[in-house]
Amino acid sequence: NAKQGIALYQEKNYIGSCNLPPLSYEADEQERFNKLNGDITTYFYEIYQKWTMGDGDIDAEWDSFVGQLKQMGLDEMMQIQRKAYDRFQQ
């Protein structure tokens, strides 16, 4: 199944066709973004793997998951991204 999925992506030229713009950060933004992104990404993949393996209940745990992401600084991380993207647009 995975090989068929990859073949479809390659046939339709989806791989590499939607690149994100290069964003530049101020030094303090970069430092803070790296810290937030590392922690948030680690937490995200831990929970994602847990749910993928059938441990836990996505519906029952969703609000707690989102709350934890926000507590970890997701909104701040998104603001940093927004500032960098706005600079890119200029």
Side-chain angles (χ1 to χ4, degrees):
N1 286 341
K3 287 181 181 180
Q4 289 174 336
I6 291 169
L8 285 173
Y9 269 82
Q10 290 171 334
E11 278 176 30
K12 303 290 184 184
N13 198 27
Y14 290 145
I15 296 175
S17 65
C18 182
N19 295 322
L20 297 174
L23 301 180
S24 61
Y25 302 92
E26 303 290 328
D28 59 328
E29 291 173 337
Q30 184 72 62
E31 184 178 336
R32 185 67 180 145
F33 180 83
N34 289 345
K35 168 69 172 127
L36 292 169
N37 188 48
D39 293 344
I40 288 170
T41 299
T42 298
Y43 174 71
F44 171 84
Y45 280 112
E46 285 173 359
I47 299 301
Y48 174 78
Q49 182 179 16
K50 174 182 147 184
W51 287 341
T52 301
M53 300 301 288
D55 294 335
D57 180 341
I58 295 172
D59 293 326
E61 298 172 10
W62 182 257
D63 291 339
S64 174
F65 171 68
V66 172
Q68 181 64 30
L69 289 172
K70 288 182 176 283
Q71 191 173 39
M72 295 174 79
L74 180 63
D75 291 335
E76 181 184 356
M77 189 175 94
M78 290 170 52
Q79 287 174 351
I80 294 168
Q81 286 285 80
R82 169 52 68 185
K83 285 179 187 176
Y85 183 72
D86 289 346
R87 280 193 295 271
F88 169 79
Q89 291 288 31
Q90 297 172 2

